[in-house]
């Protein structure tokens, strides 16, 4: 081979090598991204793995911020504010889905989940942080209003209207729905591994990039003796949502008593059904979020009865006020805990 020929060969090889490296780098570009931000009154943390993961997460974040405005009870630019202050508003796909699911889950839980709880939530000051223990007679009147409240979803003229005095609060279901939207957006962008954590409402897409399941720790409401947070247990899951509710996250103290933000619609007072924390595991994050709130109101026995009727749709991890830990049977192969626990069959 002449000197010229071998030089040409070296140059061609170099170009080829550079192109291949470029192609590889291009393919690897943005294969891991994360976004942390504050929305819906909580800290949200998104992590995604795959091509252009950063762009996918930026879209997901924008969608959450839009939902935050639309669904907030206090944002004057949103649909819910308008609905609560005027008794009606325009219907859109998000609202239709959320209202229909809320009505379905209210029936499923015999009224333990009821988004018409808002007048009572407001009276306790949970909306503006101006906490107070309301007058008993006022609570009882508001409870009557809550239980008589009706939501009419009109798909002919695309409007929603509320019965007289009714007001709704999607705080018990909105984050679950938001995580479903994020999951859809990321999947549409070709992401097949992601961890979506909307203030303790966790949803995972696929498995970790190394193929192993994600580990989701369930916070123990009781810190250890030195005040450090501990975990009730860990769930190893792929393609699942793990959503926890408890009275320990948002509450106030008055005269030595604790009042938290999950209200029993039958009494108008903070639910006191013997549970400290409820975790719902499901493919359906909207259901899981609403059910975590409802089960906290229902207590263990009613919750287990419900699980028996629809055990293909969700599983439970329950921690009672007295420290007993229970899991439903479907979690037995993915749950671990340093505490003793019983399996509900
Ligand atoms: P978090 O939002 O703290 O994760 P939850 O999902 O349990 O907790 O939702 C609690 C919120 O749900 C309350 O702040 C209130 O807005 C609303 N809520 C409270 N009680 C009920 C109820 N019985 N049914 C429906 N929504 C409720
Ligand atoms: Mg909830």
């Amino acid at each position: 081979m002449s000197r010229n020929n071998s030089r040409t060969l070296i140059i061609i090889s170099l170009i080829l090598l550079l192109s291949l490296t470029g192609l590889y780098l291009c393919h690897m570009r943005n294969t891991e991204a994360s976004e942390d931000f504050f929305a819906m009154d909580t800290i949200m943390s998104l992590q995604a793995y795959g091509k252009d993961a950063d762009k996918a997460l930026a879209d997901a974040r924008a969608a959450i911020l839009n939902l935050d405005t639309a669904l907030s009870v206090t944002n004057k630019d949103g649909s819910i504010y308008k609905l609560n202050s005027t008794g009606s508003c325009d219907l859109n796909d998000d609202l239709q889905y959320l209202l229909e699911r809320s009505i379905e889950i209210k029936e499923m839980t015999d009224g333990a989940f009821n988004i018409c709880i808002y007048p009572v939530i407001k009276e306790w000051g949970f909306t503006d942080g101006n906490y107070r223990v309301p007058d008993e007679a006022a609570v009882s009147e508001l409870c009557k209003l809550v239980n008589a409240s009706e939501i009419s979803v009109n798909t002919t003229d695309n409007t929603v209207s509320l019965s007289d005095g009714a007001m709704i609060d999607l705080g018990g279901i909105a984050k679950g729905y938001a995580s479903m939207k994020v999951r859809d957006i990321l999947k549409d962008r070709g992401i097949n591994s992601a961890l979506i954590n909307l203030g303790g409402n966790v949803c995972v897409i696929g498995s970790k990039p190394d193929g192993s399941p994600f580990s989701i720790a369930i916070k123990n409401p009781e810190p250890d003796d030195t005040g450090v947070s501990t975990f009730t247990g860990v769930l190893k899951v792929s393609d699942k949502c793990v959503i926890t509710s408890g009275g320990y996250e948002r509450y106030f103290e008055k005269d030595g008593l604790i009042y938290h933000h999950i209200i029993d619609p039958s009494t108008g007072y903070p639910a006191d059904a013997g549970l400290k924390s409820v975790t719902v595991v499901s493919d359906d994050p909207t259901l899981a979020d609403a059910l975590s709130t409802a089960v906290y109101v229902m207590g263990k026995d009613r919750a287990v009865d419900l699980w028996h009727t629809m055990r293909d749709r969700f599983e439970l991890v329950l921690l009672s006020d007295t420290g007993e830990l229970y899991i439903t049977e479907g979690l037995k192969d993915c749950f671990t805990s340093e505490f003793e626990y019983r399996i509900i069959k």
Side-chain angles (χ1 to χ4, degrees):
M1 201 188 292
S2 75
R3 255 178 98 164
N4 267 351
N5 273 351
S6 57
R7 191 182 290 154
T8 314
L9 201 72
I10 290 172
I11 290 171
I12 290 175
S13 310
L14 266 175
I15 291 172
L16 215 88
L17 189 71
L18 282 172
S19 318
L20 282 175
T21 314
L23 263 178
Y24 177 73
L25 287 177
C26 204
H27 175 74
M28 290 300 288
R29 186 166 48 96
N30 304 326
T31 52
E32 184 175 345
S34 64
E35 287 258 6
D36 297 287
F37 54 100
F38 192 84
M40 295 183 161
D41 229 7
T42 191
I43 294 169
M44 309 210 153
S45 165
L46 313 177
Q47 259 172 286
Y49 306 89
K51 189 164 172 292
D52 290 330
D54 57 345
K55 286 190 193 137
L57 287 190
D59 288 350
R61 176 186 180 148
I64 293 182
L65 295 176
N66 282 337
L67 278 180
D68 191 4
T69 304
L71 306 181
S72 156
V73 284
T74 52
N75 192 323
K76 296 192 166 105
D77 298 329
S79 321
I80 297 301
Y81 186 88
K82 177 152 193 243
L83 180 60
N84 285 343
S85 48
T86 66
S88 69
C89 76
D90 291 339
L91 190 63
N92 57 39
D93 290 348
D94 291 329
L95 211 50
Q96 185 178 346
Y97 184 85
L98 272 163
L99 295 176
E100 286 175 354
R101 294 303 310 268
S102 297
I103 294 165
E104 170 206 340
I105 298 165
K106 178 190 171 192
E107 278 160 21
M108 184 190 285
T109 61
D110 280 332
F113 184 78
N114 186 347
I115 57 171
C116 294
I117 196 74
Y118 188 50
V120 177
I121 298 277
K122 224 173 143 186
E123 188 68 14
W124 282 91
F126 283 112
T127 308
D128 55 10
N130 187 14
Y131 303 128
R132 56 201 169 255
V133 179
D135 177 61
E136 251 185 75
V139 172
S140 142
E141 277 311 302
L142 289 174
C143 250
K144 281 188 211 147
L145 168 66
V146 167
N147 291 301
S149 292
E150 274 178 36
I151 305 166
S152 313
V153 177
N154 189 333
T155 49
T156 318
D157 67 359
N158 281 325
T159 56
V160 191
S161 58
L162 301 178
S163 53
D164 269 356
M167 287 194 276
I168 66 169
D169 175 356
L170 295 168
I173 192 168
K175 279 181 280 174
Y177 177 65
S179 59
M180 185 176 89
K181 282 213 96 164
V182 170
R183 187 175 71 180
D184 291 349
I185 290 170
L186 299 187
K187 280 186 168 179
D188 275 358
R189 305 288 190 284
I191 300 290
N192 47 29
S193 171
L195 180 71
I196 303 158
N197 184 352
L198 312 188
N201 286 235
V202 179
C203 242
V204 304
I205 298 178
S207 305
K208 288 199 283 189
D210 68 4
S212 64
F214 285 98
S215 293
I216 314 295
I218 303 172
K219 189 176 163 189
N220 189 349
E222 298 294 332
D224 73 5
D225 295 342
T226 60
V228 172
S229 293
T230 58
F231 299 118
T232 304
V234 174
L235 285 157
K236 283 198 185 305
V237 290
S238 302
D239 274 319
K240 278 273 177 265
C241 301
V242 177
I243 296 190
T244 301
S245 277
Y248 56 91
E249 290 288 3
R250 197 165 299 212
Y251 62 87
F252 67 96
E253 206 175 328
K254 181 89 206 298
D255 300 331
L257 292 174
I258 299 276
Y259 298 95
H260 61 72
H261 72 318
I262 302 177
I263 303 291
D264 182 343
S266 68
T267 64
Y269 282 81
D272 184 18
L275 296 175
K276 204 179 275 179
S277 143
V278 173
T279 300
V280 180
V281 182
S282 174
D283 294 336
D284 175 350
T286 315
L287 175 75
D289 190 10
L291 273 187
S292 70
T293 310
V295 165
Y296 191 85
V297 172
M298 294 161 85
K300 175 177 159 272
D301 294 347
R302 275 175 74 192
V304 170
D305 287 347
L306 180 65
W307 176 71
H308 279 141
T309 66
M310 41 188 286
R311 49 191 296 170
D312 54 327
R313 290 181 62 193
F314 70 94
E315 302 289 341
L316 294 167
V317 180
L318 304 176
L319 178 67
S320 80
D321 281 340
T322 44
E324 285 100 28
L325 184 60
Y326 303 90
I327 64 167
T328 49
E329 199 176 5
L331 298 179
K332 68 179 186 329
D333 297 329
C334 61
F335 182 79
T336 51
S337 175
E338 58 178 283
F339 302 105
E340 250 180 64
Y341 58 89
R342 283 191 222 159
I343 298 175
I344 298 169
K345 298 196 171 158

